[in-house]
Amino acid sequence: MKPVDFELHRPETLSEAIALLAEHGEDGKVLAGGQSLVPLLNFRLARPEHLIDLGRIASLTAIRRTPQRLIIGAMVTHAQAERSVAVAQGAPLMARAFPHIAHQAIRARGTVGGSIAHGDPAAEMTAVAVALEAIMVAVGPRGTREIPARDFFIANLVTALDHDEVLTEVRIVPPAGPTGAAFEEVARRQGDFALVGAGAQVRLAQDGTIADIRICLTGVSATPHRALEAEAVLIGHAISPESTQTAADATRDVLNPSSDLHATADYRRDVAGTLVSRVVKTAVQRATFDTTSAA
Amino acid sequence: MTKKVEPVAVAKDKTLHRYLSKPARVREDRRFVTGNGRFVADLTPSGTMHIGLVTSPYPHARIVAINVEQALKLPGVVAVLTGAELAKATEPLRQYIDVPEVQWRPLAVESTRYAGEWVAAVVADSRALAEDGAELVVVDYEPLPFVMDPERAAQDDAPLVHPSHGTNVMVKREFVWGDVAANRARAHATTKVRTRWNRNSTVPLETFGVVADWDQHRSVLDIWASIQMPQFPEQIAGALRIPTNQVRVHFDVDVGGSYGVKRGIKHGVLAGFLARQLGVPIKLIEDRSENMHGGDFHGPDRIFEVELAYTADGEFTNIRIDVLDDEGAYPGRSPLQLAKPIGAIVGPYRIPSAEYNAIAVTTNKTGQVAVRGFGQSPTNYAIEAAVDAVARELGMDRMELRRKNFIQPDEFPYKIPSGTEYDSGDYPGVLDKAIEIANLPELLRECETIRAEGRLAGIGVATCLEPGGGNAIFENIMDPSTDKSTFPESCRIRVDGGGAVTAIVSISSAGQAHETMVATLVGEELGIDPDRVAVVRADSLSGFPSQSPVGSRMAIVLGRALHGAASELKSKMCAIGARALDLTPDEVAYCDGSVASVKDPSVSIGWDDLVGIAHRKQHLMPPGMQPGLEVMHVAHTPKSGTLTAPDGTVQLYPCFSFEVHVVLADIDPSTGKVDLKRYFIAHDCGTVINPDVVRGMVYGGTAHGIGVALYEQFAFNDDGQPLTQSFMDYLLPSAHEVPVIVDAEHCTPSPYTTHGQKGVGEAGYMGAPAAIAGAVNDALTACGAEPIHSLPIKPSDIWRALNARTPNQEGSS
């Protein structure tokens, strides 16, 4: 379990990193925390000749908040974002997802950008990015691109990033109004990749009906799944046991998950529905609390 | 010079112990906690070369050709060894049943028999280069038919793993003990339960590792290895065709966990051969994936059918256990794991007759090896599942059904139908203790509360034995042509010229705290502070007969050797002291380091003077006595020395520890996730030597059992490929999954050991799988679902059981 020989580059600036990627082409690979890539290297499943570590580029480690945007640098660690008030306010769903990412030691090294660029549909950050309609900012030799989440995740572990591009930041539009979020997972053990995970972020209107809702699922498809079918059931109404049940069923109807050693497809489909109804209820409760406390 | 040593002291009242059973630090902890253990991976003699392995991608394939040219061209690669070359120069590895046509070798010859089997070894300057080289070895395979399911493997037309053997059945043994017909006739009903114990193992943090170094001028092969294995040096020598006195295995390396699996004989032979061949030190440290798919260290993989016959009021009259064990590709030592449970075949229950039908088959999976309990925990699980099923049939309380059938405290020593005598026990007393610490009425209320909140809840109970004091009589049971009946343990006690005490053992330890145990026992025997007793480990050439710490035997058998050595030492000191005091040896006694007159204890001679005479004053020594204070004692296992009788009865292990688990499981009905809410164990291993060590064993074993019950499995797909090759898929329970465990100790001393101690190395693990499965099944049956009889129980299994209920059944929840 030793990686194939590679050369490690540790650029101090983004432009150096981009130059290195341009120089090494498909033989180069970006290292952004290494919590997925290093095991892949050790298993020799990834065999880059040049590894370009973004860990020394200070400009990628900031979390910024403008009135219109929450901007998370690609090298912000999960642990850093987990503790950030700006993230808690600007992307409540993301904040709720962090405790489910593996264990503290992994969150201390793993990065938001690294997870998103890895494109694993079982991961929390990819699902959150889709639900919150995040914009991924990619910088490469041809300039800067802004890629919306719905176009970013193409297939399992495949994203819209070109091999010579670096994901530099993730932009999210903060919610306007009383908002609540919840994230739940079922994993065989605490910290494992979830058999199924679900997250919801809900904004309530003055009358208590749902003004905006984002629901996402992990582990049920080749790309992170946004449960538009469930959202359609719920938006514009106050929630009721019937409506969350209908949303759960709507979710189950469209999913086609796979079976593996740890769970069957039928189980995943059914539990996905259950989790959707649970996270929606919890998110609405939290949003209601937000309304009350704001008043 | 010495008086006759009493082999066994009468078990003393616990309060009379000065050091035993008292809270005391575990001396090994300091080095492990500070990261200063010295493991085989820490050793790299100068000039060491490293092995990388080429492994089979097919579950069964003929090796058509191996091309090593490209690998040898890689700078840094010094050699590539194939199975055919190794086979020419070595003997096959030892199998423990009589199947000479089934050859097991470190590197496959002619065909590979499981995905992951070693095919060639590449030696290079570094492990990374060796792995690069291994990728360049080109093997041409011709895939062959394979079999992964043990029941399929047992059929006549199944693909053969070893065509030379003619069948996949390696052993088939049938036993009938007692008057089965009469006891069946007395029964009103029988209950049959089929249980599946899927393949798991102990999975230590440290994988297997070995360093071998051949000194051609001294003709010694030095080996450092993470082993826990009887006869490792002899088997290395045998395979390499060199005399046993040319293999020196060093036991003073720390072993990072084992519980049976650290055998590594193929690793040792491969490294030893290459070290001799190349004249350089050779190192092989398995990586996690190699360990998981090719380390030959998986544990039992069994299908049981247990049939329990009982009367209308719940008295058990007969038990039949049929078991089919999937050994993987090479039987090795694994068939013997079917024999050990014969020594506890009726559990703690008074069952007058028993039938046992055991079959071992080979399949195209990686090999099995000894795992904690040597087949006992799976058997306990199967028996307890049947007991629970009888309780359900009769509508009886599960604890009361067990209590009704317990062997009673006044019935010991108690001979079970298979001929083994249980030494001692207080099963009702331990059950009472479990009920007390669990606060059973409160626990039942909590269970009801959870159910009332719309969740599932269940209580599990297991009452299980841990046979201790391992001997090797199972070799004779499974292969009557083997008449091995000795399985000794030994130690040396040295009082040096400065008066310091050193105990010398020749075993390696894998976390069992033997140094603490030895120091405590020597301190107790000699009446000196254990902290002043040094414990060191001799290597295999300078050491003594030892069979290594297997089968919960060190407290029992090494304890006996320590007692023998201490008694001889005290006799010698008494003889010296008597002469100095002008008394006869009968008129003096040893007490806390001095020798004193029995009549007038004020007449005495102290430690320093006794040591001075023994080491430096021949003129004061009893005539004919050897100088120095150095004694060595080799002890048999208690109650050993007899072979299996023609009627199939046999005395297996001598001592029987007992444990009662009571567990409350809380289950999410929508997701099937199990939360072990409360966990209680009452445990009896006789006299405790060190309380923290015993508690650590009980907790660790329970955690292991939780893994077996809910998480761990070495799985394969239909193509014969291993699905669990890392900790991403082989799920060990973490601190999140192991609840707070409340335990209580009970003490029923063994009459056969020096201080009443019994075995504890398998504690917790003996009953946890049964108890947790019982809790889940209590929850399931309470809401109208069928019980699950296959481990591990996954959330999706529970979900499926709940969804399989008929609407009528669901209404009852």
Side-chain angles (χ1 to χ4, degrees), chain B residues 282-496:
Chain B
I282 297 289
K283 187 170 190 172
L284 169 58
I285 308 289
E286 282 179 332
D287 66 33
R288 184 60 61 189
S289 293
E290 284 169 348
N291 178 250
M292 286 187 166
H293 66 228
D296 289 336
F297 86 109
H298 290 181
D301 181 350
R302 295 187 178 179
I303 300 164
F304 289 94
E305 186 180 276
V306 175
E307 182 195 45
L308 204 44
Y310 52 95
T311 65
D313 58 356
E315 179 195 335
F316 302 152
T317 65
N318 185 71
I319 189 166
R320 173 176 60 81
I321 302 179
D322 294 348
V323 55
L324 176 65
D325 193 28
D326 177 345
E327 316 293 67
Y330 300 93
R333 198 170 170 78
S334 48
L336 305 181
Q337 297 194 82
L338 290 165
K340 175 177 164 184
I342 288 172
I345 201 74
V346 295
Y349 309 115
R350 204 197 290 106
I351 308 177
S353 58
E355 301 155 85
Y356 187 55
N357 304 303
I359 300 173
V361 295
T362 45
T363 61
N364 295 102
K365 296 178 184 167
T366 182
Q368 253 195 45
V369 77
V371 165
R372 199 180 213 155
F374 213 58
Q376 192 66 53
S377 188
T379 311
N380 288 348
Y381 161 65
I383 293 172
E384 293 293 282
V387 170
D388 280 355
V390 171
R392 282 194 294 271
E393 292 288 327
L394 287 171
M396 261 182 93
D397 178 82
R398 288 168 291 161
M399 287 186 184
E400 290 318 305
L401 178 65
R402 285 171 167 84
R403 191 188 293 278
K404 183 182 179 68
N405 285 282
F406 276 157
I407 297 161
Q408 294 301 304
D410 60 2
E411 294 179 289
F412 292 95
Y414 182 91
K415 188 174 274 193
I416 64 169
S418 60
T420 292
E421 199 174 274
Y422 292 173
D423 57 339
S424 66
D426 177 9
Y427 306 153
V430 181
L431 177 59
D432 286 341
K433 204 165 258 185
I435 289 171
E436 185 192 326
I437 59 170
N439 190 355
L440 188 61
E442 182 51 41
L443 196 71
L444 289 165
R445 268 195 297 279
E446 188 173 355
C447 184
E448 287 310 317
T449 305
I450 297 168
R451 287 176 182 175
E453 286 166 0
R455 298 166 68 80
L456 309 183
I459 291 174
V461 185
T463 56
C464 295
L465 293 172
E466 177 187 356
N471 53 36
I473 197 65
F474 36 66
E475 294 186 24
N476 171 247
I477 297 171
M478 292 313 265
D479 176 10
S481 71
T482 303
D483 64 352
K484 177 161 137 192
S485 64
T486 309
F487 211 62
E489 213 50 62
S490 44
C491 79
R492 180 186 289 278
I493 300 178
R494 165 182 300 156
V495 182
D496 61 34

Side-chain angles (χ1 to χ4, degrees), chain B residues 56 80 83 96 112 133 182 286 317 339 403 414 418 512 551 629 645 695 722:
Chain B
S56 171
V80 181
Y96 288 80
T112 68
E286 282 179 332
T317 65
R403 191 188 293 278
Y414 182 91
S418 60
Q512 306 98 322
L629 287 169
R695 205 168 290 125

Side-chain angles (χ1 to χ4, degrees), chain A residues 1 47 189 261 267 270, chain B residues 131 135 287 671 732 794 799:
Chain A
M1 219 179 268
R47 312 169 70 102
R189 296 175 309 177
L261 171 63
Y267 173 86
D270 189 61
Chain B
E131 289 186 27
E135 288 187 338
D287 66 33
T671 65
L732 293 171
K794 301 175 196 174
W799 176 86

Side-chain angles (χ1 to χ4, degrees), chain B residues 618-684:
Chain B
Q618 188 181 353
H619 61 288
L620 297 181
M621 285 186 79
M625 180 178 276
Q626 290 178 34
L629 287 169
E630 183 106 6
V631 290
M632 204 270 282
H633 191 96
V634 188
H636 283 299
T637 309
K639 284 195 82 65
S640 62
T642 50
L643 295 172
T644 311
D647 66 355
T649 57
V650 59
Q651 174 69 42
L652 265 131
Y653 292 7
C655 301
F656 290 81
S657 299
F658 179 66
E659 59 194 47
V660 176
H661 295 238
V662 177
V663 54
L664 171 64
D666 174 345
I667 304 173
D668 182 334
S670 301
T671 65
K673 274 281 280 181
V674 177
D675 176 16
L676 301 178
K677 246 355 222 187
R678 312 264 171 220
Y679 209 113
F680 305 95
I681 304 175
H683 173 252
D684 183 356

Side-chain angles (χ1 to χ4, degrees), chain A residues 1-2 43-44 47 103 186-190 192-193 261-264 266-267 270-271 274 278, chain B residues 127-128 131-132 135 287 289 668 670-671 673 710-711 715 727 729 732 736-737 794-796 799:
Chain A
M1 219 179 268
K2 307 287 181 200
F43 278 114
R44 298 189 167 212
R47 312 169 70 102
H103 298 279
V186 178
R188 287 196 59 199
R189 296 175 309 177
Q190 172 73 36
D192 284 339
F193 273 112
L261 171 63
H262 301 297
T264 58
D266 287 346
Y267 173 86
D270 189 61
V271 172
T274 303
R278 285 186 188 174
Chain B
R127 167 73 189 201
E131 289 186 27
D132 290 348
E135 288 187 338
D287 66 33
S289 293
D668 182 334
S670 301
T671 65
K673 274 281 280 181
L710 299 175
Y711 304 105
F727 285 134
D729 289 310
L732 293 171
H736 291 285
E737 283 71 45
K794 301 175 196 174
S796 55
W799 176 86

